Amino acid sequence: MAVVRGRVFGRNLGGKVPVELGSDYRFVLGKAQVVREGDGRVGVISTGYMTARSLDAARIASNAGVDAGVIHVSTLKPFDRDGV
């Protein structure tokens, strides 16, 4: 298993995009939103379709005892530095 250290950006396009953010999600320009709470040791910052994959990865990680949080960043410009 490979270990990745530091910041990583991934982008994946194509096909139908699943709805993962729930009916209570509201888009706010330039505002990052926590979509999964974690214990603070591991966090994933994602945007677009990768948020669905990040939530899947966090669920899989929880099976291994890693409680990862996920933050959805809906816009990169403006970027919510304080929220992240």
Side-chain angles (χ1 to χ4, degrees), residues 65-77:
V66 177
D67 189 14
V70 178
I71 296 176
H72 174 68
V73 179
S74 56
T75 59
L76 297 178
K77 279 190 172 183

Side-chain angles (χ1 to χ4, degrees), residues 25-64:
Y25 173 78
R26 298 289 177 254
F27 171 83
V28 179
L29 182 66
K31 183 69 177 161
Q33 296 183 36
V34 175
V35 293
R36 185 179 197 278
E37 294 286 340
D39 63 10
R41 295 181 302 141
V42 175
V44 179
I45 302 168
S46 62
T47 187
Y49 178 57
M50 292 306 292
T51 297
R53 293 196 173 193
S54 298
L55 288 166
D56 288 342
R59 287 184 202 107
I60 292 168
S62 71
N63 292 334

Side-chain angles (χ1 to χ4, degrees), residues 1-12:
M1 180 162 127
V3 175
V4 178
R5 299 193 190 283
R7 295 176 182 97
V8 177
F9 176 81
R11 182 174 183 205
N12 186 13

